[in-house]
């Protein structure tokens, strides 16, 4: 009898140890399905490709050498109107990918979704050196974090632009839009873009961002530089255009 | 009995599989966490739990601090602008970085950095660890990229070995910034004549002129102690001390964007100030005499100027005494 108790304890210890090791992300597959963003970073209707030449609405030539932004705080709106936040998910949209896997979500009908362009203030002021190399919040090459006003750059676009008055020269003048700081995060509303997630087929939400729209009221000839703090009005103007720059594909 | 052994074997296997792989054997004295040697009279600084000092870490950090491998063209190290023999400053109004470019501000000493609640003249950086990224990425300083520094370090077997010793991990942005910060937190200053007088209670450590300077420093006539206070001679606040009517460098306002912060800079320590000329965030004053004349005059009119900075009735002797007191803050 004594011996039995002894074994019982051993078994108990084994079970506890093994279960404490278990990852807590395992969930039954049948009721959930993978959701992803299929995301285009466009310039007008074309894909934003580094070193291609583009034109503003007024015909001014420019190219892009960096075109990245952060998306976070994604919230799905379920059929019954309740919210389903994808807590902790952060995307750095950049040239290397169009597919951004979000996570498994319950199958069913959704009324739409919202997300934040930029980062909430806690994430924004976290220490980038503590994230592993694969994380969107790790130190990137080229950097997308300010070390002198500690925080992430939410939206980083750089390149060269033609600054001749008649817009008949070549794109050879550096322009730079670095938008960040807590005040300039913006919630992007896709709350009426209904979709359904069905079991057995991963679902993609097709969305696109248009840089021309984001710069629609920006004169790239004269308004060609902001690190946010040194030209806050220009940074605010661009951030205020983000919602209009988004559309569902 | 056999069954018991099997169970024990199974459990150990499971436990082993659960173990994190960053545990390092704790027998080597150089891998042991040690207590920082804090100058007497100073509190023990707060040290991040993931970066307590060990000899391996400090030695690695010191090597990195002095290694130009951190800059794009391998010409500039941290020590280029923070020279140990100049109390970790560089003697220039604006530090010289890569390819003859110049930093936007005067290089502050990094002694007693463990006590700084935020870094830079405008307080824009929150920790000694994160600060390391600043000069590496700054185009006027090292003009490089922390990930590329890490690639270089990984190709260097000596460094890989030392990172493993220090952190049980390969070179990474995390371990690179930890190691340099670990070294920096061992750099203290607090062995001046003033400390002899103050903390060792040696009343002969200061002469009459220095004592009068000290009195003026700490009373309402000189009024320096409103900002330059305590063991590190700063309260770490942001203040406008009336250098300019128009500040070319907006200081704290660069971080907060508030008009009321224009021209405010973090109050600097005054330890070793005799050896760290030129002075102010822009190195605009060459001598301590100039600094004292500035405070005696009350400085330039600026809406954000502290009202403690105002014209002061200091005699020529008072001024000399104040300068002598500042010189008594130099490490012996």
């Amino acid at each position: 009898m004594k011996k039995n108790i002894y074994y019982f304890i051993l078994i108990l210890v084994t079970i506890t140890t093994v279960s404490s090791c278990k990852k807590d992300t395992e969930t039954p597959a049948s009721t959930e399905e993978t959701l992803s963003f299929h995301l285009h970073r466009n310039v007008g209707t074309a894909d934003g490709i580094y070193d291609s030449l583009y034109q503003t609405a007024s015909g001014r030539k420019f190219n892009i050498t960096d075109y990245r932004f952060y998306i976070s705080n994604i919230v799905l709106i379920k059929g019954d109107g309740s919210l389903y936040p994808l807590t902790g998910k952060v995307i750095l949209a950049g040239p290397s990918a169009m597919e951004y896997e979000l996570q498994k979500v319950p199958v069913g009908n959704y009324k739409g979704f919202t997300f934040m362009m930029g980062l909430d203030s806690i994430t924004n002021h976290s220490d980038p050196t503590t994230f592993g190399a694969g994380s969107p919040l790790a130190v990137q090459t080229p950097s997308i974090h300010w070390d002198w006003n500690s925080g992430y750059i939410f939206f980083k676009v750089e390149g060269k632009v033609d600054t001749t008055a008649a817009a008949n020269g070549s794109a050879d003048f550096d322009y730079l839009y670095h938008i960040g700081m807590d005040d300039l995060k913006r919630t992007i509303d896709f709350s009426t873009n209904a979709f359904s997630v069905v079991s057995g087929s991963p679902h993609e939400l097709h969305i696109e961002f248009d840089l021309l729209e984001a710069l629609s009221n920006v004169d790239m000839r004269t308004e060609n530089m902001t690190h946010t703090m040194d030209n806050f009005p220009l940074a605010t103007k661009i951030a205020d255009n983000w919602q209009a720059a988004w559309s569902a594909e | 009995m056999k069954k018991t052994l099997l169970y024990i074997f199974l459990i150990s296997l499971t436990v082993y599989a659960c173990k994190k792989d960053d545990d390092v054997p704790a027998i080597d004295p150089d891998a042991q966490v040690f207590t920082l040697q804090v100058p007497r009279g100073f509190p023990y600084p707060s040290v991040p739990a993931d970066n307590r000092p060990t000899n391996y870490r400090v030695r690695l950090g010191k090597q990195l601090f002095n290694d130009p491998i951190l800059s794009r063209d391998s010409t500039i190290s941290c020590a280029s602008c923070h020279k140990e023999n100049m109390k970790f400053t560089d003697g220039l109004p604006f530090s010289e970085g890569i390819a003859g470019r110049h930093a936007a501000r005067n290089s502050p000493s990094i002694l007693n950095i463990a006590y700084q609640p935020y870094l830079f003249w405008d307080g824009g950086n929150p920790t000694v660890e994160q600060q390391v990224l600043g000069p590496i990425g700054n185009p006027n300083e090292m003009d490089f990229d922390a990930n590329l520094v890490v690639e270089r370090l990984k190709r260097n077997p000596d460094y890989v070995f030392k990172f493993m010793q220090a952190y049980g991990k390969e070179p990474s942005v995390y371990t690179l910034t930890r190691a340099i910060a670990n070294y920096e937190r061992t750099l203290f200053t607090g062995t001046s004549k003033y400390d002899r007088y103050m903390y060792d209670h040696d009343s002969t450590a200061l002469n009459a002129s220095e004592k009068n300077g000290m009195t003026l420093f700490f009373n309402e006539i000189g009024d320096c102690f409103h900002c330059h206070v305590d063991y590190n001679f700063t309260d770490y606040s942001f203040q406008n001390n009336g250098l300019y009517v128009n500040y070319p460098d907006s200081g704290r306002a660069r971080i907060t964007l508030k008009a009321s912060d224009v021209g405010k800079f973090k109050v600097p320590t005054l330890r070793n100030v005799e050896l760290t000329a030129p002075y102010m965030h822009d190195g605009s004053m060459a001598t301590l005499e100039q600094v004292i004349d500035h405070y005696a005059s009350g400085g330039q009119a600026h809406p954000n100027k502290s009202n403690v900075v105002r014209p002061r009735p200091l005699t020529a002797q008072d001024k000399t005494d104040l300068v002598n007191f500042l010189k008594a803050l130099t490490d012996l």
Side-chain angles (χ1 to χ4, degrees):
Chain A
M1 189 54 207
K2 238 191 182 167
K3 225 180 169 185
N4 276 349
I5 291 178
Y6 183 47
Y7 281 132
F8 179 72
I9 293 174
L10 274 175
I11 290 167
L12 206 77
V13 170
T14 316
I15 291 171
T16 344
T17 332
V18 171
S19 64
S20 68
C21 234
K22 227 177 75 173
K23 286 193 222 142
D24 47 20
T25 50
E26 288 167 36
T27 33
S30 55
T31 56
E32 302 209 325
E33 197 42 79
T34 305
L35 185 68
S36 306
F37 276 152
H38 181 90
L39 190 159
H40 288 278
R41 294 153 38 263
N42 287 350
V43 179
T45 50
D47 268 329
I49 296 167
Y50 292 175
D51 294 324
S52 301
L53 209 53
Y54 300 97
Q55 283 192 4
T56 64
S58 59
R60 184 172 298 286
K61 291 195 249 341
F62 71 100
N63 68 12
I64 47 175
T65 53
D66 201 339
Y67 179 5
R68 290 175 294 164
F69 49 79
Y70 278 105
I71 288 177
S72 66
N73 288 267
I74 303 159
V75 180
L76 309 184
I77 305 161
K78 287 177 137 179
D80 63 3
S82 64
L83 301 181
Y84 190 84
L86 310 188
T87 310
K89 185 70 200 175
V90 173
I91 288 171
L92 175 56
S96 53
M98 274 190 246
E99 293 295 324
Y100 298 90
E101 188 173 317
L102 301 175
Q103 66 174 61
K104 290 205 179 237
V105 301
V107 298
N109 294 329
Y110 291 84
K111 288 184 167 166
F113 56 98
T114 62
F115 58 79
M116 188 182 281
M117 195 143 163
L119 302 166
D120 60 84
S121 65
I122 292 173
T123 311
N124 191 22
H125 301 296
S126 50
D127 177 351
T129 68
T130 59
F131 296 96
S135 165
L137 295 169
V139 173
Q140 305 289 319
T141 301
S143 173
I144 188 154
H145 184 270
W146 285 310
D147 312 311
W148 44 276
N149 182 7
S150 197
Y152 290 86
I153 304 172
F154 298 162
F155 174 92
K156 184 174 179 188
V157 177
E158 288 181 9
K160 289 184 186 286
V161 62
D162 170 14
T163 51
T164 57
N168 58 0
S170 53
D172 55 11
F173 189 86
D174 289 327
Y175 75 89
L176 176 157
Y177 303 119
H178 291 187
I179 320 289
M181 294 184 81
D182 294 342
D183 285 351
L184 295 187
K185 59 177 184 280
R186 293 286 182 269
T187 298
I188 305 301
D189 184 46
F190 279 103
S191 63
T192 56
N193 289 71
F195 63 97
S196 308
V197 177
V198 289
S199 184
S201 72
H203 191 82
E204 285 182 356
L205 295 167
H206 288 249
I207 51 176
E208 51 189 35
F209 184 86
D210 176 8
L211 182 62
L212 287 188
E213 191 61 43
L215 300 176
S216 56
N217 53 355
V218 172
D219 180 355
M220 289 184 80
R221 187 171 84 89
T222 51
E223 299 171 297
N224 44 39
M225 175 84 75
T226 179
H227 295 88
T228 301
M229 5 270 156
D230 56 1
N231 191 343
F232 198 68
L234 177 56
T236 309
K237 191 155 133 179
I238 294 171
D240 287 344
N241 291 335
W242 288 343
Q243 171 76 58
W246 281 103
S247 59
E249 202 184 345
Chain B
M1 190 54 208
K2 251 192 183 163
K3 261 188 186 167
T4 320
L5 276 177
L6 187 68
Y7 268 116
I8 291 174
F9 176 71
L10 274 176
I11 292 172
S12 16
L13 248 180
T14 333
V15 171
Y16 181 78
C18 254
K19 225 178 75 168
K20 286 193 225 137
D21 48 19
D22 56 6
D23 295 330
V24 270
I27 19 163
D28 186 342
D30 284 342
Q32 296 298 305
V33 170
F34 66 81
T35 307
L36 293 170
Q37 292 305 298
V38 173
R40 70 231 174 286
F42 286 35
Y44 198 80
S46 77
V47 177
D50 67 346
N51 202 18
R52 304 242 193 264
T54 67
N55 286 335
Y56 282 138
R57 292 173 177 182
V58 173
R59 259 184 250 145
L60 171 62
K62 182 170 185 174
Q63 185 178 346
L64 290 164
F65 189 89
N66 287 283
D67 193 338
I69 196 171
L70 268 58
S71 61
R72 183 172 47 74
D73 63 359
S74 298
T75 57
I76 306 284
S77 72
C78 307
S80 306
C81 305
H82 304 286
K83 298 187 203 302
E84 185 161 5
N85 63 357
M86 300 179 84
K87 297 293 174 189
F88 291 92
T89 65
D90 61 8
L92 298 169
F94 297 106
S95 306
E96 195 166 310
I98 203 164
R101 295 176 205 160
H102 286 273
R105 290 176 180 155
N106 181 253
S107 162
S109 174
I110 57 172
L111 293 168
N112 290 345
I113 203 76
Y115 298 104
Q116 295 276 350
Y118 24 68
L119 291 309
F120 294 146
W121 283 98
D122 54 23
N125 194 287
T127 64
V128 185
E129 276 78 6
Q130 288 184 61
Q131 188 282 331
V132 173
L133 297 175
I136 294 176
N138 189 318
N140 293 325
E141 299 184 4
M142 295 172 144
D143 193 27
F144 207 33
D145 175 307
N147 291 319
L148 301 180
V149 172
V150 167
E151 275 179 28
R152 282 185 184 173
L153 294 171
K154 279 187 178 165
R155 286 198 296 268
N156 181 324
D158 174 57
Y159 267 125
V160 172
F161 181 72
K162 287 173 172 164
F163 272 91
M164 290 306 291
Q165 272 187 326
Y167 290 96
K169 291 184 172 117
E170 283 207 314
S172 66
V173 174
Y174 177 81
T175 48
L176 166 68
T177 53
R178 291 307 161 291
I180 293 180
N182 203 283
Y183 162 63
E184 290 179 288
R185 280 204 192 85
T186 63
L187 303 174
F188 291 100
T189 165
T191 59
S192 65
K193 287 205 266 182
Y194 166 80
D195 298 291
R196 282 245 170 110
Y197 179 89
M198 190 64 192
Y199 299 111
D200 297 340
H201 309 290
D202 173 0
S203 59
T204 64
L206 298 180
N207 64 31
S209 169
E210 290 159 350
K211 280 182 188 164
N212 185 45
M214 180 170 67
T215 305
L216 291 165
F217 190 95
F218 288 109
N219 73 15
E220 305 292 329
I221 301 174
D223 245 348
C224 313
F225 73 101
H226 274 283
C227 305
H228 301 286
V229 69
D230 287 343
Y231 56 91
N232 204 24
F233 288 87
T234 166
D235 62 2
Y236 307 104
S237 65
F238 300 99
Q239 303 283 345
N240 178 316
N241 69 345
L243 294 185
Y244 302 108
V245 175
N246 289 307
Y247 275 81
D249 181 336
S250 66
R252 181 68 182 160
R254 181 167 86 138
I255 305 303
T256 64
L257 301 177
K258 288 189 194 147
S260 58
D261 283 335
V262 170
K264 289 188 181 172
F265 292 85
K266 187 174 70 181
V267 176
T269 181
L270 298 182
R271 288 189 172 275
N272 306 302
V273 76
E274 177 185 17
L275 306 177
T276 62
Y279 306 111
M280 307 301 168
H281 70 273
D282 56 358
S284 55
M285 292 187 189
T287 65
L288 289 175
E289 286 74 11
Q290 260 176 285
V291 174
I292 300 298
D293 282 340
H294 163 76
Y295 283 113
S297 77
Q300 304 284 318
H302 191 284
N304 297 335
K305 186 176 75 173
S306 161
N307 55 21
V308 185
V309 180
R310 57 173 188 266
R312 302 195 168 276
L314 296 171
T315 65
Q317 186 60 47
D318 288 343
K319 290 183 184 178
T320 307
D321 293 348
L322 270 169
V323 169
N324 286 339
F325 173 65
L326 292 178
K327 290 182 178 171
L329 302 179
T330 303
D331 277 350
L332 293 170

